[in-house]
Amino acid sequence: MPNPDTETKTAFRLPPVAEKCVVRTKSGPDRKGHFGYFGGKFVPEILMPAITELEAEYRKARKDRSFKEELREILRSYVGRPTSLYEARRLGERLGGIRVFLKREDLTHTGAHKINNTIGQVLLAKRMGKTRIIAETGAGQHGVATATAAALMDLECEIYMGRKDTVRQSMNVFRMELAGAKVIPVDSGTRTLKDAINEAIRDWVTNVHNTHYVIGSVVGPHPYPVMVRDFQSVIGKEARSQLKKITGGLPDLIIACVGGGSNAMGIFYPFVRDQGVGMVGVEAAGEGVDTDHHSATLSVGRPGVLHGTMSYLLQDRWGQIKGAHSVAPGLDYPGVGPEHSALKESGRVKYVAVDDEQALAGFKLLCETEGIIPALESAHAVAYLAEAAEILPKDSAVLVNLSGRGDKDVETVAEIFRERGGK
Amino acid sequence: MNRIDRTFSKLRKKQESALIPFITTGDPDLVTTEALILEMDRQGADIIELGLPFSDPLADGPTIQAASQRALRNHVNALDLFHVISSARHKTDIPIVLMGYYNPVLQYGLDRFAEDAAAAGIDGTIIPDLPLEEAGSWMKAARRCGVANIFLVAPNTPEGRIRKIARATAGFLYYVSVTGITGARQEIPPELSEGLQSVRKMTKKPVAVGFGISRKEQVSMLSGAADGIIVGSAIVKIIEAGTEETENGLKASPELVDRVGRFVRELKDATL
Ligand SMILES: Cc1ncc(COP(=O)(O)O)c(C=O)c1O
């Protein structure tokens, strides 16, 4: 169906990376959780009853008025939703006169979009009669958001975190502990996020009778990619109506960073059918996509199966999973949500990669022009915005998901700048 | 009839359970793996389960994870596994089943993997992260090459689903003894015999039990209740203990193969 909002914009040309927009007629996965070739449930048999139950309970909860109202009320009074949509005028001017709208997920309680999902899932777990919550975390943001939701709803909570990450992000370890969670350092494999997920799945396999596993992104077996997307879609829904109030129309381009892909799915999804709205997912190129130190899964990976789902992966030719790297710990994952893989294949969303250097420049740019310290993850989106601005027509409306605040990263950044003599 | 079916029908006549030891390919090196296959065969193993190492073995406990890591330090891959088995096949006719996660199989190419596995003399595959719903393409490829795809069921699998899986499985049905991951356990759950009994009522195919079984007493207790008994972590622990870190990487001690052989003999005797 042609969208009236886009009809008037025929003269507008998307940046080359976002040019090939195909509108998908069908959204969401099939009944087995497949987005085309991607997705599915590649899990040990022991977990099948649990994810089948989760799927059924989630479907019921989605239709249940009281569940939806309870969720909405917590999001409003506790999380601080709706988050504001802020027009970053100085930044827009600096970038040659485009209109930049920042969706301020950094202003939520705990400081990142992650909480939208954890509140939803923990509420669901409680409804299912589970007494124990587990989660994985890399940067610690999802761990903090899970521990927070578990504290709010009075459930026992244990968080798996790669040993390396517990050292890199010790402050978040303390925040989780303050919220009453137990943080379990993971020493297997690469001792980072992917291994924390392995360990969380092993725990779930063992304690599935009383435990719900809160996955932190749109990854994992069906129904997680759908469920997490739905809980995060509140971002895009709000942004859509907020932007309509300001500009009377839809954005020309939406930009979000992609680790597992939850903040991106959350802001993209309500616009997926709007032809003419360009979308770009920004992955972390780390030290460069031609090195071994990056997390640009969609840009240079190959489809494969990890953590219960078929999606793009960083892997060697034998199918062993490679380690990922980024200056932004939350992007440091060798997989990505299956729906992103499908959106890439269909051409609906373009995926690009921005390296550590560019991300740091994006970080500084937003601090200087707007007085907003973005999370290093979100700084990747800002960095790509600066790149896209060079070819965007004047007055283009660009929606950027500011997925989190940078408090957690200031030490890292300070250290990097110190090493370079204050720059 | 493939080697797995032949073995089970022979053992059924003797009313004997199959002993199925597990080791990881390339742990600590490929030469040792071949020697272990032959020695375990000599010491009474009925079927051998060989692990294909994977970087992210999420159904495995610490013991088998560590074995996978040791093998990956030697960059062991599917081709190595095929070579080891081809070579062992000149000297043994014991059924060999590959246990591996799906991604390495997928990346090799399903058809090519099935062909090369069959050519090497692999009789079956166990892929713990490939449930029935996702297994269509692999089952087709495997069946075409005469490789049995062995499915798992768990204590929490509903009856209707067990029946469905039992119909799809080939070679045998793998009954996971605990809701949990692999790893030696002191106690086997008291409900195990009951669970096994009810599963065996649902299928005529052989049912083998695994996960957590580590001692000969447990084997002897289960030998009437299951057609096959799989012992993994307890054997891998002997391999771990017999492996030394040297300047040139990991090295198997000279007694390692004998020690594993003696343990397999004890376990086999416990099935009689
Ligand atoms: C602020 C922030 N943005 C983005 C991400 C990446 O996750 P996702 O791609 O699922 O949004 C994280 C993960 O920790 C994060 O903390």
Side-chain angles (χ1 to χ4, degrees), chain A residues 112-114 139 141 217 257-263 330-331 375 377-378 403-404:
Chain A
H113 70 290
K114 298 281 176 190
Q141 287 306 105
S217 191
C257 67
V258 176
S262 65
N263 86 87
L331 301 182
E377 292 79 12
S378 324
S403 55

Side-chain angles (χ1 to χ4, degrees), chain A residues 79-135:
Chain A
V79 173
R81 304 210 71 91
T83 57
S84 80
L85 184 73
Y86 164 71
E87 178 160 12
R89 290 215 165 76
R90 281 202 62 214
L91 177 61
E93 269 164 37
R94 173 80 74 93
L95 296 177
I98 55 172
R99 297 189 72 181
V100 178
F101 297 91
L102 300 177
K103 184 57 176 161
R104 299 291 305 274
E105 294 303 299
D106 60 317
L107 296 179
T108 54
H109 178 44
T110 69
H113 70 290
K114 298 281 176 190
I115 189 117
N116 302 326
N117 168 44
T118 62
I119 296 283
Q121 281 200 48
V122 175
L123 205 56
L124 186 64
K126 190 143 187 171
R127 196 182 139 100
M128 289 165 65
K130 304 286 182 186
T131 55
R132 182 170 172 266
I133 296 296
I134 56 170

Side-chain angles (χ1 to χ4, degrees), chain A residues 379-392:
Chain A
H380 284 71
V382 177
Y384 177 73
L385 170 73
E387 204 179 299
E390 291 175 15
I391 45 171
L392 282 168

Side-chain angles (χ1 to χ4, degrees), chain A residues 50-62:
Chain A
I51 60 177
T52 309
E53 183 201 13
L54 181 60
E55 196 182 341
E57 289 293 325
Y58 173 59
R59 205 175 298 147
K60 266 193 259 165
R62 265 184 74 167

